[in-house]
Amino acid sequence: MISLFLVALVSATLLPGGSEVWLARLWCLGEPPLALWLVATAGNTLGSMINVAMGRYARQFQDRRWFPASPRSLARAEGWYHRFGELSLLISWAPIIGDPLTVLAGVFRLPWWRALAWIVVAKGARYAVVLLLAQQWLVPLCQ
């Protein structure tokens, strides 16, 4: 279970990971689904909150030459974020776009508790779907 937590945590950061595959593997090995869901959701949520923290503290460096976003792209991202707001965190589970959304939540200083609430809902739903799909499709493969 610790391995699932670590894979889920890393998968939520800007580093690549495969927490869904690891979750399905542990499910096939007979681990309790509720425990798997709790551990994966907790690890992935913590990883996303690390992204929020990175975004929150990264903005102080926006005037530096090495800062990864130009003022123009930052303004465009801010407009997009203000248009869709914190509800955009409901798609923080999605590959490729989910991680930057959590960073933007930090950049635009969404309160910690609100970021956490949206992220838990999104991540928990994703892992619930993965477990339901595993139950539907992986039973013959787990034998």
Side-chain angles (χ1 to χ4, degrees), residues 20-120:
E20 296 85 2
V21 173
W22 200 255
L23 176 72
R25 178 187 176 278
L26 291 175
W27 180 84
C28 274
L29 292 174
E31 295 290 340
L34 179 60
L36 291 171
W37 179 80
L38 288 170
V39 169
T41 300
N44 210 244
T45 297
L46 179 59
S48 289
M49 292 306 289
I50 290 170
N51 289 346
V52 172
M54 287 189 323
R56 195 172 194 90
Y57 297 107
R59 191 148 190 184
Q60 65 185 332
F61 301 110
Q62 70 185 12
D63 296 330
R64 304 282 171 88
R65 193 172 171 168
W66 51 264
F67 191 74
S70 69
R72 182 176 173 216
S73 63
L74 196 56
R76 188 176 41 208
E78 188 167 11
W80 185 89
Y81 184 77
H82 287 302
R83 180 175 177 201
F84 296 103
E86 60 194 66
L87 285 178
S88 65
L89 289 176
L90 286 176
I91 57 172
S92 64
W93 62 268
I96 301 171
I97 63 169
D99 298 337
L101 286 174
T102 58
V103 173
L104 283 177
V107 167
F108 301 122
R109 309 200 63 77
L110 181 65
W112 291 104
W113 68 271
R114 291 199 347 230
L116 179 64
W118 291 116
I119 291 168
V120 165

